[in-house]
Amino acid sequence: MQLTCCGGLDLNYTAHLDDALQRLHDEGRYRTFIDIERRRGAYPHATWRRPDGTERPVTVWCGNDYLGMGQHPAVLAAMHEAIDATGAGSGGTRNISGTTIYHKALEAELADLHRKDAALLFTSAYIANDATLSTLPRLFPGLIIYSDALNHASMIEGVRRNGGAKRIFRHNDLDHLRELLAADDPAAPKLIAFESVYSMDGDFGPIEGICDLADEFGALTYMDEVHAVGMYGPRGAGVAERDGLMHRVDIINGTLAKAYGVMGGYIAADEKMCDAIRSYAPGFIFTTSLPPAIAAGAAASVRHLKTDQDRRDRHQTQAKILKTRLRGLGLPFIDHGTHIVPVIVGNPVHTKLLSDMLLDQHGIYVQPINFPTVPRGTERLRFTPSPVHGPDEMDRLVLALDDLWSQCALNRAELSA
């Protein structure tokens, strides 16, 4: 792929692509897709389609379908009913023929879930974060956004693209956040962007402390609950609901692709905020809306999990069991009390090797997590136990990790939370 420009300059685009990809290979960070086929009703069991055309049964231990709702009969029935009634796609953007009764019903469920006036549906939580955070400075001229250093890439991108002022505070450091707030013009509009559960280390954000600072300095609050909705709180609205703090958070971002097992993202806020984002955000205005069947399935999942506390309890129990067993083996994992179990390897090549060995030798699928998702030197295997991972799956995972840790002569020492 070589292009000769009108000025006579030869540009070898292929060489640049080769260099970029080779750097990833050299650093052990090149990512390989694993082709898996989920089997209805059998999750977390799936079929791995190998590159050589053969197949092998595997157990998925890194999925974001945290509660197995992607297989729930109520969700599947709602999707079948909607696709039979309406067909496949939505047919347009929300402004042009793409708003259906299914989209409106889902937004009503989400607004009720978070006890907000309204909710606004996006095609993903990434788009919801990016579109909302990049639009807010247009609504509040001079807005300063204070963003936690470990926020999601989608939040970082939204803050970066908005063209306004931004401040990055050290992760979960309320003192540093206070310093930054105090140093700025008291009359300037402000917004604090943070998360309730940080997915790579599995730690909680200090919601109450951030809300206290927001009240003191007259700031809005924007909280990402994507790794918490469905799983925390008496109705699954997230950590803010669990802690009785939902009313203090101005904008809540959530996903329908993790605990709810389907697809899509959203914000929940007061009616005027949602109306303004709907009216100004290009990421909402110019995107084809979710298929009605997806919206119907997501609404059924949200509705169901508002009352299924047993599933949430079993999820937390499975996470505690896995941590207890890893602790007994002395494996280096991080425990902040959430459902996420990161086992630290600390080297990208070794992390990829362990992932490959688990898949090839034990039929266990867990994807390596490397830079830039996590800092260099903290490469890890990130396990997400669920209510549908039974005792047999747990036994096989723990025995496999014990075997490979010994086989590869890796350190055994639990990391402090």
Side-chain angles (χ1 to χ4, degrees), residues 17-194:
L17 295 176
D18 288 340
D19 289 345
L21 292 171
Q22 190 59 48
R23 286 196 300 272
L24 295 179
H25 283 287
D26 293 342
E27 295 174 13
R29 296 195 295 117
Y30 182 78
R31 304 185 186 198
T32 303
F33 289 147
I34 305 298
D35 297 334
I36 62 171
E37 180 182 339
R38 286 167 53 132
R39 301 198 303 271
R40 175 176 173 176
Y43 186 75
H45 301 290
T47 299
W48 172 32
R49 310 285 186 187
R50 289 168 160 157
D52 62 5
T54 60
E55 299 177 0
R56 172 167 185 174
V58 297
T59 302
V60 178
W61 273 95
C62 59
N64 283 337
D65 188 355
Y66 289 133
L67 300 179
M69 289 300 294
Q71 304 288 311
H72 196 281
V75 175
L76 301 184
M79 295 184 72
H80 279 295
E81 180 182 342
I83 200 167
D84 288 341
T86 69
S90 68
T93 66
R94 287 292 298 274
N95 289 321
I96 305 176
S97 81
T99 295
T100 70
I101 58 172
Y102 299 97
H103 298 88
K104 299 299 289 184
L106 175 54
E107 287 175 338
E109 286 286 352
L110 294 168
D112 171 77
L113 175 69
H114 293 289
R115 305 299 192 196
K116 299 295 186 185
D117 294 339
L120 190 62
L121 184 62
F122 293 80
T123 50
S124 73
Y126 186 107
I127 298 299
N129 271 332
D130 185 11
T132 303
L133 288 169
S134 62
T135 298
L136 286 170
R138 298 178 62 188
L139 306 175
F140 306 104
L143 179 71
I144 303 171
I145 296 183
Y146 304 79
S147 180
D148 187 286
L150 294 189
N151 277 341
H152 277 124
S154 55
M155 300 174 75
I156 294 170
E157 184 67 12
V159 172
R160 184 189 68 80
R161 288 199 312 106
N162 68 31
K166 65 177 183 291
R167 313 281 186 260
I168 309 301
F169 62 93
R170 291 186 293 270
H171 177 53
N172 281 352
D173 191 332
L174 294 176
D175 291 335
H176 188 216
L177 176 57
R178 170 182 284 279
E179 290 176 16
L180 295 175
L181 288 163
D184 282 318
D185 182 355
K190 302 174 178 66
L191 178 139
I192 306 170
F194 63 104

Side-chain angles (χ1 to χ4, degrees), residues 230-404:
M231 294 170 285
Y232 295 88
R235 300 200 309 156
V239 180
E241 182 191 35
R242 182 198 69 179
D243 296 347
L245 298 169
M246 274 200 304
H247 64 290
R248 301 189 63 188
V249 180
D250 296 297
I251 306 172
I252 294 174
N253 169 280
T255 185
L256 302 163
K258 293 183 169 62
Y260 293 118
V262 192
M263 179 185 176
Y266 64 89
I267 60 168
D270 69 37
E271 189 170 358
K272 285 187 178 180
M273 182 70 76
C274 288
D275 193 20
I277 297 298
R278 176 188 71 81
S279 301
Y280 281 88
F284 177 85
I285 296 169
F286 298 108
T287 300
T288 299
S289 64
L290 287 172
I294 296 291
S301 185
V302 172
R303 192 179 307 117
H304 175 87
L305 284 177
K306 287 177 180 178
T307 60
D308 195 348
Q309 185 58 41
D310 177 68
R311 188 175 292 256
R312 280 190 282 277
D313 291 341
R314 285 188 286 122
H315 181 224
Q316 293 295 320
T317 297
Q318 290 298 87
K320 290 175 183 176
I321 290 172
L322 179 56
K323 292 174 187 177
T324 298
R325 297 191 65 176
L326 294 179
R327 186 174 291 111
L329 297 175
L331 296 191
F333 71 97
I334 300 175
D335 183 7
H336 287 290
T338 67
H339 59 284
I340 294 169
V341 186
V343 177
I344 304 300
V345 181
N347 176 286
V349 176
H350 293 164
T351 307
K352 179 66 167 63
L353 179 63
L354 282 170
S355 173
D356 291 344
M357 293 170 75
L358 282 168
L359 189 63
D360 292 333
Q361 299 176 18
H362 300 276
I364 291 170
Y365 173 42
V366 57
Q367 194 73 6
I369 306 294
N370 294 325
F371 178 84
T373 307
V374 296
R376 297 181 193 274
T378 70
E379 292 83 4
R380 65 198 63 186
L381 301 173
R382 176 182 173 272
F383 296 93
T384 54
S386 77
V388 293
H389 286 94
D392 290 342
E393 289 83 9
M394 188 79 71
D395 286 343
R396 285 197 292 270
L397 172 63
V398 172
L399 291 173
L401 287 172
D402 188 28
D403 174 61
L404 292 181

